[in-house]
Amino acid sequence: MAGNIFGELFRVTTFGESHGEALGCVIDGCPAGLEISAADIEKELARRRPGGVYGSRDEKDTPEILSGVFEGKTLGSPIAIVVRNTNQNSGDYGELKDIYRPGHADFTWDAKFGFRDWRGGGRSSGRETLCRVAAGAIAKKFLALSGITVRAWVSSIAGLQQPSPGEDDFDFDEIERNPLRVPSKNGAARAMAKIEELRAEGDSAGGIVTCLATGVPAGLGEPVFDKLDARLAAAALSIGACKGIEFGAGFAAAGLKGSENNSAENSGGGILGGISSGQDIFFRAAFKPTPSIGKPQKALDREGKTREITIKGRHDVCIVPRAVPVVEAMSALVLADFLLLSRSNRI
Amino acid sequence: MAGNIFGELFRVTTFGESHGEALGCVIDGCPAGLEISAADIEKELARRRPGGVYGSRDEKDTPEILSGVFEGKTLGSPIAIVVRNTNQNSGDYGELKDIYRPGHADFTWDAKFGFRDWRGGGRSSGRETLCRVAAGAIAKKFLALSGITVRAWVSSIAGLQQPSPGEDDFDFDEIERNPLRVPSKNGAARAMAKIEELRAEGDSAGGIVTCLATGVPAGLGEPVFDKLDARLAAAALSIGACKGIEFGAGFAAAGLKGSENNSAENSGGGILGGISSGQDIFFRAAFKPTPSIGKPQKALDREGKTREITIKGRHDVCIVPRAVPVVEAMSALVLADFLLLSRSNRI
Amino acid sequence: MAGNIFGELFRVTTFGESHGEALGCVIDGCPAGLEISAADIEKELARRRPGGVYGSRDEKDTPEILSGVFEGKTLGSPIAIVVRNTNQNSGDYGELKDIYRPGHADFTWDAKFGFRDWRGGGRSSGRETLCRVAAGAIAKKFLALSGITVRAWVSSIAGLQQPSPGEDDFDFDEIERNPLRVPSKNGAARAMAKIEELRAEGDSAGGIVTCLATGVPAGLGEPVFDKLDARLAAAALSIGACKGIEFGAGFAAAGLKGSENNSAENSGGGILGGISSGQDIFFRAAFKPTPSIGKPQKALDREGKTREITIKGRHDVCIVPRAVPVVEAMSALVLADFLLLSRSNRI
Amino acid sequence: MAGNIFGELFRVTTFGESHGEALGCVIDGCPAGLEISAADIEKELARRRPGGVYGSRDEKDTPEILSGVFEGKTLGSPIAIVVRNTNQNSGDYGELKDIYRPGHADFTWDAKFGFRDWRGGGRSSGRETLCRVAAGAIAKKFLALSGITVRAWVSSIAGLQQPSPGEDDFDFDEIERNPLRVPSKNGAARAMAKIEELRAEGDSAGGIVTCLATGVPAGLGEPVFDKLDARLAAAALSIGACKGIEFGAGFAAAGLKGSENNSAENSGGGILGGISSGQDIFFRAAFKPTPSIGKPQKALDREGKTREITIKGRHDVCIVPRAVPVVEAMSALVLADFLLLSRSNRI
């Protein structure tokens, strides 16, 4: 793992700026013989697109597979996927050229590289995540061969907690039916009202994504540094707005007694000592509200002066529902990598 | 990063089982010319040792530097450090040979490797962390050259929240004065009473470690997958009992409005878009209560039968204070690596 | 370095099959601020194209930069370059679907992956090297900032030895003037006659490429495993038909006395103990004759039966002149990587 | 692969200076369940020791296994092996503190790190190779489970060519019977006479090591950059005095016609397109004469002045026979790594 490359054996390299020519990824290390089509990828990309409720740029992302697939199956050689940018409005960003938007990476990227693509966040735009979703679509197909599935949903949005699995109002099938990807019809209605309120205010909301992996065999994860939870944490925290993660009982476990935590049902979230236990794996990832809001804000410019700005362009009130397929994709990439690595556990 | 190797440029390989001959680490990639002595390492290792309040095996860990240092300075070649095990009581564990202790990695390591060192957790023992602390001692010295410091403390223990920086009762100097590493004299007294209560019950406690890095220049962190927070998260979650992490406003940010989060003081925890902003970096890491408790518990054996066990041996009531130098060490390793990587940011 | 990824800091991932949609590369880790244009890349790609003398498929390779470059300069983000395949004649290969061509990777790729793209060698085609040349063009520009140049030429072809630097008939300027890239006008004429003879016979020729890097500062190369010569050797041997490499006095040094070798001028080829000495770096890489010949040959088919085949399609009599820019590119990639790594040598 | 770490899945980290406390290695990624003992390692280390004919420091290298092996079998955790230095005569080197010995890495290491351990070459000493041999001993045991063997011998020494397999005078059993490790009794006698002549002159000799791997299944090697021959080349060239390598017909192939090379028996040396073909794998590695000779020589000192020096201490007239187990070890490490990697070839 380094920079824009993710994974040891199932390795993904991504590229592309928000308003450049194209974004894409190269998957190196996917075993040969896996059935893959552009439709598999397009289906997942569509889940990442903004729906009517979001308000941001709506772009149909059409993936093209450039290599690595022959007669419908992976060759074992690198799979390159490219998605052209077609709907850029760079003009919206012209006046932000010399200003560092609050809460964005504008300043830090400039501090690092001395130079940046100021159009829509450039490489630090959320648009970058489409490459993860494309690669994740392939990882999911690989995992499916072993009966592993990865699903995520919005378990809290704009401060409104949604029901948990096992609770009355929780319904898995509801998740993909509502644009907020919450697992409850009632919860969706309440949250949508709140989102509309924030939109009217020109404000934004954050939320929490819960991710669940089922069918993971016991024995995945590497000792010490490369624990399964360590890698999943890196995977989640590598997503733009993610600010925290917890596995199983998580932060609440810190306040329990050992006897309580030991006897709780799957308090480890399916991972013990960094290795999967064969139980369901689950974690919660916290996403901050998107920093692009319609209200006027104070911002620093390149000369260090404070200026008042109002960010134009199209922005989501809440990006958390769109983070759901990204969290799934990153988790699938981690699991695919460990599934391959586990082939070397024993002589 | 792979298995027992951590870091891209400042690379640490660790080895050793709890009751084997020795534990140790090899640091490959530490720049030449850094002043290092065994005393630097021993000082940090001493912070990891159990004090009187803990109850677990008290072993003086004497590091020996085998290579990489000449006339008191690093050569640029690998620095190997070895600590002999001297106080093992393997006998305590004999009856656990065929039993999987609840909450421990016994079952998962067996599932992975088909074979394990059952003496004291073997490689999955907390004793493994001394290698991290040894390597971290060197990373800290390297960081100090750039004015970077990393400090951690126990901000919550056994469910008792401790004061935060800026609050009345918070005192940095108190941290290393009390065995619980809480930043408050009063807080320490209350927490100690609670710990003693749990000890009497044969139970254990978890807690939260807060880590603060100061003096970090803007521009550290790599784009996309290798974000500074992603790597710090992997670093923290790679520590045995860690079950969660949050940066800056963390999980609370998920419930804020964008306008609130944008205007809050350093809500990003010193990191924006995965790159350091020049502000203080801070995060909170949650540790579950140690699963080794004195009470009788149900456990599975290798045949899948449930048995009642009582774990003998010496165990900490709460390992969280001892995790403090480990969290510091891991954070220092991440920062040292990124400091070197940042030398390649620009032409 | 793993599979289709090359380099530690200046990392190149390549992709693409000979008769697929496109080939390309992603350069991750190129420092920000480097001036780059598609023309820089196209110029090097043109050097890799077959000239009139070769006989193989003549395809104009037009690179498109998809990311990582903004306003003419590198952003520090991944640079993706794609070259479309436009001139594939898959039909030529249809009858080779179930036959393993002698001297090619057909059988071994099938043995490895159980499946292959049989059209023109698929991923194992020499066409793959255009991605290396594209990436190398960028590495060369980066090296030029430090005054480092990399040049290669054909020093032996079809068994005809060409003059060496310092010898009367050696002329640097001649190299790119003749299609065989030999450094001598007379040598070129003699070699061309020999090549034409082989073409008439339906046979092919091999040769040796000499590579010279000037301006390399002392101190590049990593200790022990990652020696500069070790990496250059891997770089050269990773090129399809390369079967050997030697540095400085090379194989001849094995027969010298220590006193002779010590006192010879730069017998180490600019590298001592795996680290550059500040002198010119040079090595020789041996290329076998291309196995695709016009003569009828015996070959195994997928059932293990011996069949007689005559390979159709367009093939070079000698690919060695076209390997020249590839050797340069790979060497430039190695040097660029080590140049970045050397920034971490000292505190 | 980076710096002092070798391999992707079967990863070896080595450490240690010639005259420091100890040398050693950590093997991370060796699968669990492999039977290993200190005796396995000691046996290989003994092959690396100087015999009576060499003249250099004769040190019994006693390996201690510190971790990763339990009840005689590998645990899947890192295997640390340490060998103490016991016979250092640093005094011999005192006067070389400020002088760069010709043909050695003294100058280049200083140029790189600004600082070096001048005692016996420090980290660049040939003594470093014992760590490779220790790790290789484990790789060999792992390979043996799949019926793979790696053997090497001296095929040319001091300019005297030895017989090749299939030739009358070639005898595998002779190799380990004579101190020069040549495969012929007569050849050994002639070569020994030549070596004695050089010793009398205070001079040294180089030679060529041929390495043969049998039982390697078809399908090992990774596409494009990580070809089996590319990695073996890096492995060989990473050994101190190695200056060249060739596979199969090697440099001679460069002068053959395609029809000749295609029809020659195993001209590819068991590798086609970077992937093993199932045939015997063989290569030749050229070693320069050791630069430490008894004759007075000109050398540069740290101030750039030329001085005449005579190198004291104990030195081999020819280190090539001692390189034999090192070449075997490195080849075994490469093959073990690819054997594990090949488990991920297919779904």
Side-chain angles (χ1 to χ4, degrees):
Chain A
M1 194 168 87
N4 298 275
I5 305 179
F6 188 81
E8 298 297 318
L9 288 181
F10 198 102
R11 293 174 293 272
V12 178
T13 304
T14 71
F15 60 85
E17 281 77 43
S18 170
H19 288 62
E21 289 304 315
L23 297 101
C25 63
V26 183
I27 298 126
D28 186 28
C30 181
L34 182 67
E35 290 187 13
I36 285 290
S37 70
D40 293 324
I41 297 158
E42 197 156 7
K43 193 182 68 181
E44 287 292 319
L45 289 183
R47 295 180 60 213
R48 206 199 130 271
R49 284 175 57 202
V53 296
Y54 301 100
S56 80
R57 144 188 176 190
D58 187 9
E59 188 158 330
K60 186 162 189 309
D61 296 319
T62 307
E64 186 186 13
I65 300 177
L66 298 181
S67 66
V69 178
F70 180 60
E71 298 179 342
K73 287 192 294 185
T74 56
L75 282 163
S77 59
I79 304 162
I81 301 167
V82 167
V83 175
R84 295 271 161 184
N85 285 320
T86 55
N87 190 17
Q88 311 101 308
N89 273 356
S90 303
D92 287 347
Y93 296 94
E95 64 184 42
L96 294 174
K97 200 172 163 173
D98 298 312
I99 294 183
Y100 301 130
R101 295 168 299 163
H104 278 285
D106 298 352
F107 166 71
T108 54
W109 279 61
D110 228 12
K112 180 176 178 68
F113 295 116
F115 177 58
R116 73 190 164 101
D117 181 350
W118 43 265
R119 301 167 304 170
R123 179 78 180 137
S124 71
S125 163
R127 188 153 172 73
E128 160 264 320
T129 58
L130 78 81
C131 306
R132 307 177 185 229
V133 172
I138 295 177
K140 281 182 173 186
K141 287 212 78 171
F142 176 60
L143 292 173
L145 298 178
S146 301
I148 301 172
T149 62
V150 182
R151 302 190 62 172
W153 62 89
V154 174
S155 51
S156 176
I157 184 165
L160 298 173
Q161 178 70 29
Q162 302 294 323
S164 297
E167 290 183 359
D168 254 15
D169 206 23
F170 184 95
D171 179 2
F172 260 122
D173 295 335
E174 180 60 28
I175 296 167
E176 295 292 322
R177 277 193 213 125
N178 69 76
L180 300 184
R181 290 208 170 93
V182 297
S184 149
K185 202 169 178 179
N186 293 331
R190 277 192 299 271
M192 191 64 90
K194 180 77 182 165
I195 292 292
E196 288 307 322
E197 206 176 286
L198 289 164
R199 184 198 312 281
E201 292 174 20
D203 218 322
S204 67
I208 293 173
V209 173
T210 293
C211 185
L212 173 73
T214 59
V216 180
L220 299 203
E222 294 297 313
V224 182
F225 296 124
D226 246 5
K227 290 189 163 79
L228 178 49
D229 30 5
R231 279 260 205 116
L232 286 168
L237 268 295
S238 79
I239 305 170
C242 185
K243 299 307 288 180
I245 191 167
E246 57 180 3
F247 291 83
F251 275 86
L256 297 179
K257 295 182 186 183
S259 57
E260 293 165 345
N261 194 56
N262 283 3
S263 59
E265 174 65 18
N266 197 5
S267 64
I271 303 173
L272 279 174
I275 300 171
S276 62
S277 66
Q279 295 172 286
D280 283 352
I281 291 175
F282 60 95
F283 63 82
R284 299 168 76 240
F287 288 82
K288 70 175 186 180
T290 178
S292 285
I293 57 176
K295 294 184 167 182
Q297 299 180 84
K298 303 265 183 248
L300 288 179
D301 67 14
R302 297 195 65 166
E303 273 73 46
K305 288 187 194 143
T306 302
R307 289 161 61 169
E308 187 171 284
I309 58 161
T310 305
I311 295 171
K312 294 179 196 161
R314 298 148 296 175
H315 300 286
D316 296 316
V317 173
C318 182
I319 56 89
V320 184
R322 297 179 66 192
V324 165
V326 184
V327 170
E328 288 178 8
M330 293 306 297
S331 302
L333 289 173
V334 169
L335 289 169
D337 202 26
F338 278 122
L339 197 61
L340 289 177
L341 284 165
S342 72
R343 295 183 180 179
S344 300
N345 289 343
R346 309 186 187 184
I347 52 171
Chain B
M1 196 167 87
N4 298 276
I5 305 179
F6 188 81
E8 297 297 317
L9 288 181
F10 198 101
R11 291 174 294 270
V12 178
T13 304
T14 71
F15 60 85
E17 281 76 45
S18 170
H19 287 63
E21 289 303 315
L23 296 101
C25 63
V26 183
I27 298 126
D28 185 30
C30 181
L34 183 68
E35 291 186 13
I36 284 290
S37 70
D40 293 324
I41 297 159
E42 197 157 7
K43 194 181 66 180
E44 287 292 320
L45 288 183
R47 294 181 62 214
R48 207 200 128 272
R49 284 177 56 203
V53 297
Y54 300 101
S56 79
R57 142 187 176 191
D58 188 7
E59 188 158 331
K60 187 161 189 309
D61 296 320
T62 308
E64 186 186 13
I65 300 177
L66 298 182
S67 67
V69 178
F70 179 59
E71 298 179 344
K73 287 192 295 185
T74 56
L75 281 163
S77 59
I79 305 162
I81 301 167
V82 167
V83 175
R84 295 269 162 186
N85 285 321
T86 55
N87 190 18
Q88 312 101 305
N89 273 356
S90 303
D92 287 347
Y93 296 93
E95 64 184 43
L96 294 174
K97 201 171 163 173
D98 298 314
I99 294 183
Y100 301 130
R101 295 168 299 163
H104 278 285
D106 297 352
F107 167 71
T108 55
W109 279 61
D110 227 12
K112 181 177 177 66
F113 294 116
F115 177 57
R116 72 190 166 100
D117 181 350
W118 43 265
R119 301 167 304 169
R123 179 79 180 136
S124 72
S125 163
R127 189 154 171 73
E128 161 265 319
T129 59
L130 77 80
C131 306
R132 306 176 185 231
V133 172
I138 295 177
K140 281 181 173 185
K141 288 211 79 171
F142 176 60
L143 293 173
L145 298 177
S146 300
I148 302 171
T149 63
V150 182
R151 302 190 62 172
W153 62 90
V154 174
S155 51
S156 176
I157 185 166
L160 298 173
Q161 178 72 26
Q162 302 294 322
S164 298
E167 291 183 359
D168 255 14
D169 206 22
F170 184 94
D171 180 1
F172 260 123
D173 296 334
E174 180 60 29
I175 296 167
E176 295 292 322
R177 278 194 212 124
N178 69 76
L180 300 184
R181 290 208 170 93
V182 297
S184 151
K185 202 170 177 177
N186 294 332
R190 276 193 299 272
M192 191 63 90
K194 180 77 184 168
I195 292 291
E196 289 307 322
E197 205 177 288
L198 288 165
R199 185 198 310 283
E201 292 173 20
D203 218 323
S204 67
I208 293 173
V209 172
T210 294
C211 184
L212 174 72
T214 60
V216 179
L220 299 202
E222 293 297 314
V224 182
F225 296 124
D226 248 3
K227 290 189 163 78
L228 178 49
D229 30 5
R231 278 260 205 116
L232 286 168
L237 268 296
S238 78
I239 305 171
C242 185
K243 299 306 288 179
I245 191 167
E246 58 180 3
F247 292 83
F251 275 85
L256 296 179
K257 294 182 186 183
S259 57
E260 293 165 344
N261 194 56
N262 284 4
S263 59
E265 175 65 19
N266 197 6
S267 63
I271 303 173
L272 278 174
I275 301 171
S276 63
S277 65
Q279 295 172 287
D280 284 352
I281 291 174
F282 60 93
F283 64 81
R284 301 167 76 237
F287 287 83
K288 69 174 187 181
T290 177
S292 287
I293 57 176
K295 294 184 168 182
Q297 299 181 84
K298 302 265 182 249
L300 288 179
D301 66 15
R302 298 193 66 166
E303 274 73 46
K305 289 185 193 146
T306 303
R307 288 161 60 169
E308 187 171 281
I309 58 161
T310 304
I311 296 170
K312 293 179 196 162
R314 298 149 297 176
H315 299 286
D316 295 317
V317 173
C318 181
I319 57 90
V320 184
R322 298 179 66 191
V324 165
V326 184
V327 170
E328 288 178 8
M330 293 307 296
S331 302
L333 289 173
V334 170
L335 289 168
D337 201 27
F338 278 123
L339 197 59
L340 289 177
L341 284 165
S342 72
R343 295 182 180 179
S344 300
N345 290 343
R346 307 185 188 186
I347 52 169
Chain C
M1 196 167 87
N4 298 275
I5 305 178
F6 188 81
E8 297 297 317
L9 288 180
F10 198 102
R11 291 175 293 272
V12 178
T13 304
T14 70
F15 61 85
E17 281 76 44
S18 170
H19 288 62
E21 288 304 315
L23 296 101
C25 63
V26 184
I27 298 127
D28 185 29
C30 181
L34 182 68
E35 290 185 14
I36 284 291
S37 70
D40 293 323
I41 297 158
E42 196 157 7
K43 194 182 66 181
E44 288 291 321
L45 288 183
R47 292 180 62 213
R48 206 200 129 272
R49 283 175 58 203
V53 296
Y54 301 101
S56 79
R57 143 187 174 191
D58 187 9
E59 188 157 332
K60 187 163 187 308
D61 296 319
T62 309
E64 187 186 13
I65 299 178
L66 298 182
S67 67
V69 177
F70 180 58
E71 298 179 343
K73 287 192 295 185
T74 57
L75 282 163
S77 59
I79 305 161
I81 301 167
V82 167
V83 175
R84 295 270 161 184
N85 285 321
T86 56
N87 191 17
Q88 312 100 308
N89 272 356
S90 303
D92 287 347
Y93 296 94
E95 63 185 42
L96 295 175
K97 201 172 164 174
D98 299 312
I99 294 183
Y100 301 129
R101 294 168 300 164
H104 278 285
D106 298 352
F107 166 71
T108 55
W109 279 60
D110 227 12
K112 180 176 177 67
F113 293 117
F115 178 57
R116 72 191 165 101
D117 181 349
W118 43 265
R119 300 167 305 170
R123 179 77 179 138
S124 72
S125 163
R127 189 152 171 73
E128 160 265 321
T129 58
L130 78 80
C131 305
R132 307 177 185 230
V133 171
I138 296 177
K140 281 181 173 185
K141 287 211 80 169
F142 175 60
L143 293 173
L145 298 177
S146 300
I148 301 171
T149 62
V150 181
R151 303 190 62 174
W153 62 89
V154 173
S155 51
S156 176
I157 185 167
L160 298 173
Q161 179 71 27
Q162 302 293 323
S164 298
E167 291 184 358
D168 253 15
D169 205 24
F170 184 94
D171 180 1
F172 260 123
D173 296 335
E174 179 61 28
I175 296 167
E176 295 292 322
R177 276 193 214 126
N178 69 76
L180 300 184
R181 289 205 170 94
V182 297
S184 150
K185 201 169 176 178
N186 293 332
R190 277 193 299 270
M192 191 64 90
K194 179 78 183 166
I195 292 292
E196 289 306 321
E197 205 177 289
L198 289 165
R199 184 199 310 284
E201 291 174 21
D203 218 322
S204 67
I208 294 172
V209 172
T210 293
C211 185
L212 173 72
T214 60
V216 179
L220 299 201
E222 293 297 314
V224 182
F225 296 124
D226 247 4
K227 289 189 164 77
L228 178 49
D229 30 5
R231 278 260 207 117
L232 286 169
L237 269 295
S238 78
I239 305 170
C242 185
K243 299 307 287 180
I245 191 168
E246 57 180 3
F247 292 83
F251 276 85
L256 297 179
K257 296 182 185 183
S259 57
E260 292 165 345
N261 194 55
N262 284 3
S263 58
E265 175 65 18
N266 197 7
S267 63
I271 304 172
L272 278 174
I275 300 170
S276 63
S277 65
Q279 295 172 286
D280 284 352
I281 291 175
F282 60 93
F283 63 81
R284 300 166 78 237
F287 288 82
K288 70 175 186 180
T290 178
S292 286
I293 56 176
K295 293 184 168 181
Q297 299 180 84
K298 303 265 182 250
L300 287 179
D301 66 15
R302 297 194 68 168
E303 274 73 46
K305 289 186 192 144
T306 302
R307 289 162 58 169
E308 187 171 282
I309 58 161
T310 304
I311 297 171
K312 293 178 197 165
R314 298 148 298 174
H315 300 285
D316 294 317
V317 174
C318 181
I319 56 90
V320 184
R322 297 180 66 192
V324 164
V326 184
V327 170
E328 288 178 8
M330 293 306 297
S331 301
L333 290 172
V334 169
L335 289 168
D337 201 27
F338 278 122
L339 197 60
L340 289 177
L341 284 165
S342 72
R343 295 182 179 180
S344 299
N345 289 344
R346 308 185 188 187
I347 53 169
Chain D
M1 196 166 88
N4 298 275
I5 304 179
F6 188 82
E8 297 298 317
L9 287 181
F10 197 102
R11 292 174 293 272
V12 178
T13 304
T14 70
F15 60 85
E17 281 76 43
S18 170
H19 288 62
E21 289 303 315
L23 296 102
C25 63
V26 184
I27 297 127
D28 186 29
C30 181
L34 182 68
E35 290 186 14
I36 284 290
S37 70
D40 293 324
I41 297 159
E42 197 157 6
K43 193 181 68 179
E44 287 291 321
L45 289 183
R47 294 180 60 213
R48 206 199 128 272
R49 284 175 58 203
V53 297
Y54 301 101
S56 79
R57 146 188 175 190
D58 187 9
E59 188 157 330
K60 185 161 188 310
D61 296 319
T62 308
E64 186 185 13
I65 299 177
L66 298 181
S67 67
V69 178
F70 180 59
E71 298 179 342
K73 287 192 295 185
T74 56
L75 281 162
S77 59
I79 304 162
I81 301 167
V82 167
V83 174
R84 295 271 162 184
N85 285 321
T86 55
N87 190 17
Q88 312 101 307
N89 274 357
S90 304
D92 287 347
Y93 295 95
E95 64 185 41
L96 293 175
K97 202 172 162 172
D98 299 313
I99 294 183
Y100 301 129
R101 294 169 299 163
H104 278 284
D106 298 352
F107 166 71
T108 56
W109 279 61
D110 228 13
K112 179 177 179 67
F113 294 116
F115 178 56
R116 72 190 165 102
D117 181 350
W118 43 265
R119 301 168 303 170
R123 179 77 179 139
S124 72
S125 163
R127 187 151 173 75
E128 161 264 321
T129 58
L130 78 81
C131 306
R132 306 176 185 229
V133 172
I138 295 177
K140 281 182 173 185
K141 287 211 78 170
F142 176 60
L143 293 173
L145 299 177
S146 300
I148 301 171
T149 61
V150 182
R151 304 189 62 173
W153 63 89
V154 174
S155 51
S156 175
I157 185 166
L160 298 173
Q161 178 71 27
Q162 302 294 323
S164 298
E167 291 183 359
D168 254 15
D169 206 24
F170 184 93
D171 179 2
F172 261 122
D173 296 333
E174 179 60 29
I175 296 167
E176 294 293 321
R177 276 193 214 126
N178 69 77
L180 299 184
R181 289 208 169 93
V182 297
S184 149
K185 203 169 176 179
N186 294 333
R190 277 192 299 271
M192 191 64 90
K194 180 78 183 166
I195 291 292
E196 288 308 321
E197 205 177 289
L198 289 164
R199 184 198 311 282
E201 292 174 21
D203 219 322
S204 67
I208 293 173
V209 172
T210 293
C211 185
L212 174 72
T214 60
V216 180
L220 299 202
E222 294 297 313
V224 182
F225 296 124
D226 247 3
K227 289 189 164 79
L228 178 49
D229 30 5
R231 279 261 204 114
L232 286 169
L237 269 295
S238 79
I239 305 170
C242 184
K243 299 306 288 179
I245 190 167
E246 57 180 3
F247 291 83
F251 275 85
L256 297 179
K257 296 182 185 182
S259 57
E260 292 165 346
N261 195 55
N262 283 5
S263 58
E265 174 66 18
N266 196 6
S267 64
I271 303 172
L272 279 174
I275 300 171
S276 63
S277 65
Q279 296 172 285
D280 285 352
I281 291 175
F282 60 94
F283 64 81
R284 300 166 76 239
F287 288 82
K288 70 175 185 180
T290 178
S292 286
I293 56 175
K295 294 184 168 182
Q297 299 181 85
K298 302 267 183 248
L300 288 178
D301 66 15
R302 296 194 67 168
E303 274 73 45
K305 287 185 196 147
T306 302
R307 288 161 60 170
E308 187 172 281
I309 57 161
T310 304
I311 296 171
K312 293 179 197 163
R314 297 149 296 174
H315 300 287
D316 295 318
V317 173
C318 182
I319 56 89
V320 185
R322 297 180 66 193
V324 165
V326 184
V327 170
E328 288 178 9
M330 293 306 296
S331 301
L333 289 172
V334 170
L335 289 168
D337 202 25
F338 278 122
L339 196 60
L340 289 177
L341 285 164
S342 72
R343 295 182 180 180
S344 299
N345 289 344
R346 308 186 187 186
I347 52 171

